[in-house]
Amino acid sequence: MTDASDGTRKKTATGGPSPLALLRSAREQLTELTGLYPESMPRLEETDEGWVLDVEVVELARVPETMSLMALYEVTLDADGQLTGYRRIRRYERGRSDRG
C-alpha cells in the first residue's frame, strides 16, 4: 500500500483506492461542490463503472434538531475515486423514520 500523509492515497492490493480512501474522497468532493457536510455514508457499493455511495446530509438546520431537514444523496465515483455525479434522492425531517 502507498500512503500519503493524510491517508487518502491508500491503495488496495489490486491497485484501486481503499474503501476508506473512497469515503474520504467522496466526502471532501461533495462538501466542496455543495457546501453540505456528510453526517453519514450508509452505502458503499462497487459497480462496473466505479463506486456508488449514499450520503446523508443536513440541508436545513432547525431547532429542535429533530426538525432539521435531512437529505440522502447518491454519489457516483469512478474507479479512481473521482466524483462523477451526485443527485438528491430523498428529503425528510431528522426525526422521521423510514416507512415500512
Side-chain angles (χ1 to χ4, degrees), residues 16-84:
S18 70
L20 183 57
L22 288 166
L23 293 172
R24 286 180 177 156
S25 178
R27 180 185 64 218
E28 291 168 4
Q29 292 176 76
L30 186 66
T31 299
E32 187 172 338
L33 289 170
T34 65
L36 301 170
Y37 187 81
E39 287 213 348
S40 69
M41 299 175 132
R43 174 181 169 218
L44 171 64
E45 181 178 330
E46 190 171 16
T47 67
D48 292 337
E49 295 81 29
W51 298 88
V52 177
L53 294 89
D54 285 348
V55 179
E56 191 175 44
V57 301
V58 176
E59 283 203 331
L60 180 62
R62 292 184 177 156
V63 176
E65 191 175 281
T66 56
M67 296 303 292
S68 292
L69 190 59
M70 304 295 292
L72 187 65
Y73 282 80
E74 180 181 81
V75 177
T76 55
L77 305 172
D78 66 15
D80 294 323
Q82 294 301 306
L83 192 140
T84 58

